[in-house]
Amino acid sequence: MLDLKDLEYSELSEYIKSVGAPRFRAEQIFSWLHAGVCSYDEMTNISKKTRAVLEKNTYVSTLKIIEKYVSKLDGTVKYLFELPDGNAIESVVMRYEHGLTICISSQVGCRMGCRFCASTIGGLYRSLTAGEMLNQVIFAQKDMGERIGNVVIMGIGEPMDNLDNIKKFLHNINNDKGLNIGYRHITISTCGVVPGIYSLAEENLPITLAISLHAPNDGIRNTIMPINRKYPIAELIKACHDYYNTTGRRITFEYSLISGVNDGKKEARELAALIGDIHAHVNLIPVNKVEERAYKKGTRREIEEFCSVLKELGINATIRRELGADISASCGQLRKRTLNLDTAVK
Ligand code: SAH
């Protein structure tokens, strides 16, 4: 059965025409779907006949909230959503001064293998559809009862490993008949899948690209991020230049500080030299605890020193606030889960 949320608006429009309904219905149906209805019956301004036709060949996809955790420290909310196949993914809603931001997952698991990240433990089960990505925003917003204005694709999975669906998702979420989230309010984070960066640049959308860099040289990066063996730092930086030159958007570099691995002053200076000529911002993340991994964060002082070295060398850098620390909702702590062992085991 077809999930209409997997279609781009133009495709939906064609589909509606093909089932004999007037074209303007597409706009109404699109709006209903994105407002979070759970069945065609709720689409009260659509004729019964059209609803019946749609019901026969398509379905209204939903996401069920199976667990919800609210941080007592900062109000961050983590959702565990059930997918139709019995797998589950996590999404996180954070409250900032400028409104709500959701961090969504793009895959069930991940095959990138970053050594410090929980999402990759157990590998990749499958990619999410465009509709499943949209549904995280739709149903979190419905539950929060408040508009979510910013989306970061930084949850479970590697977005560049699912780029076709990501592009559909982006076009749909930006559509003013639906959630109408501006591209400037969307960030895509990648571990450095270089062809994906070029492909996204070709779309020429003003989306923020975040690069999970985490090391200033190939020696260190190879030991913590397997993707670096395929696409070494020099190629990655070249792709960042291309992205900036095409879109005009400042690049964000994420750098998780791991004690004794990548957090020395030497590495800070090396990082400054590496990215000095890119219009970029560095987001320093004290590495979060993952049970299966031995990596540790440094002291607050060490982290601040790393940041100071960057700033002294003219790099725009900040230390990211750690939100949702009491509910394991921080970077790299989200993991895939299996709800029903009969239908979904890897
Ligand atoms: N696959 C994408 C997006 C998901 S990860 C990517 O790699 O960018 C979101 C961010 O959290 C990435 O920067 C990732 O490297 C970082 N991260 C993963 N595990 C972490 C941990 N234990 N502590 C801090 N950051 C972590």
Side-chain angles (χ1 to χ4, degrees):
M1 280 256 255
L2 177 66
D3 176 5
L4 292 181
K5 280 181 221 156
D6 284 340
L7 302 181
E8 296 221 10
Y9 184 72
S10 57
E11 296 169 322
L12 175 72
S13 216
E14 282 305 311
Y15 182 79
I16 297 302
K17 205 177 120 201
S18 77
V19 299
R23 226 176 227 280
F24 70 88
R25 289 278 182 234
E27 189 171 330
Q28 295 173 322
I29 292 165
F30 188 90
S31 295
W32 279 117
L33 289 171
H34 290 243
V37 298
C38 296
S39 74
Y40 286 116
D41 289 342
E42 291 174 56
M43 299 187 180
T44 46
N45 59 354
I46 309 292
S47 71
K48 280 219 167 108
K49 194 175 136 230
T50 303
R51 278 192 253 160
V53 176
L54 291 176
E55 199 130 354
K56 228 167 123 194
N57 305 297
T58 69
Y59 71 106
V60 179
S61 65
T62 57
L63 277 184
K64 206 167 109 201
I65 300 170
I66 22 183
E67 283 168 34
K68 178 180 169 184
Y69 307 87
V70 183
S71 167
K72 291 195 176 72
L73 303 173
D74 50 51
T76 296
V77 181
K78 180 167 86 170
Y79 291 101
L80 182 72
F81 284 119
E82 179 177 353
L83 296 166
D85 64 1
N87 279 296
I89 40 147
E90 296 181 323
S91 320
V92 176
V93 179
M94 295 153 286
R95 193 178 289 283
Y96 292 103
E97 265 168 36
H98 56 272
L100 296 182
T101 294
I102 188 166
C103 172
I104 65 158
S105 295
S106 56
Q107 297 182 310
V108 182
C110 182
R111 60 183 179 134
M112 296 297 137
C114 299
R115 303 290 303 148
F116 42 81
C117 180
S119 300
T120 201
I121 296 168
L124 175 71
Y125 182 70
R126 70 171 172 88
S127 283
L128 295 183
T129 62
E132 287 168 333
M133 288 186 268
L134 272 167
N135 278 341
Q136 295 172 60
V137 188
I138 292 169
F139 289 100
Q141 175 166 284
K142 199 172 172 185
D143 181 69
M144 297 288 298
E146 213 178 312
R147 179 166 196 264
I148 293 176
N150 303 277
V151 176
V152 299
I153 310 175
M154 282 193 189
I156 303 166
E158 168 51 45
M160 300 302 185
D161 195 29
N162 184 20
L163 196 51
D164 290 342
N165 289 337
I166 289 275
K167 286 178 185 173
K168 280 189 183 182
F169 161 78
L170 292 171
H171 298 151
N172 279 344
I173 201 164
N174 176 251
N175 194 310
D176 60 6
K177 299 165 198 75
L179 294 174
N180 195 16
I181 296 183
Y183 289 125
R184 287 190 160 70
H185 297 276
I186 300 175
T187 298
I188 295 188
S189 179
T190 177
C191 64
V193 182
V194 167
I197 298 173
Y198 285 109
S199 174
L200 184 66
E202 271 173 33
E203 296 275 308
N204 196 7
L205 307 172
I207 289 172
T208 301
L209 179 67
I211 303 287
S212 300
L213 190 59
H214 307 324
N217 59 55
D218 287 328
I220 299 176
R221 203 164 191 266
N222 282 342
T223 64
I224 54 176
M225 300 179 73
I227 191 73
N228 198 69
R229 293 175 192 273
K230 201 160 177 197
Y231 305 112
I233 289 182
E235 282 182 41
L236 180 57
I237 296 295
K238 211 167 136 224
C240 291
H241 278 289
D242 178 81
Y243 191 85
Y244 174 71
N245 290 335
T246 311
T247 64
R249 295 293 288 170
R250 186 176 75 159
I251 306 281
T252 296
F253 287 108
E254 290 157 281
Y255 197 105
S256 298
L257 289 159
I258 310 172
S259 182
V261 175
N262 64 358
D263 68 340
K265 285 189 178 157
K266 180 171 165 282
E267 281 81 32
R269 285 191 289 268
E270 220 179 325
L271 176 62
L274 178 72
I275 61 167
D277 65 341
I278 301 182
H279 194 54
H281 173 252
V282 177
N283 228 325
L284 296 170
I285 314 164
V287 76
N288 291 307
K289 198 173 161 22
V290 171
E291 224 169 82
E292 294 86 340
R293 306 292 194 222
Y295 294 121
K296 279 202 194 77
K297 64 174 137 198
T299 61
R300 189 71 202 174
R301 204 167 136 223
E302 286 165 333
I303 295 165
E304 276 164 8
E305 269 176 11
F306 193 97
C307 192
S308 301
V309 173
L310 291 180
K311 282 182 177 163
E312 278 160 24
L313 294 168
I315 304 292
N316 183 326
T318 47
I319 300 169
R320 183 182 289 178
R321 268 172 70 207
E322 294 167 90
L323 293 174
D326 54 337
I327 54 169
S328 291
S330 308
C331 282
Q333 295 186 317
L334 305 185
R335 41 180 91 219
K336 78 169 188 205
R337 307 228 207 138
T338 306
L339 299 172
N340 180 343
L341 290 172
D342 294 333
T343 56
V345 271
K346 193 174 150 45

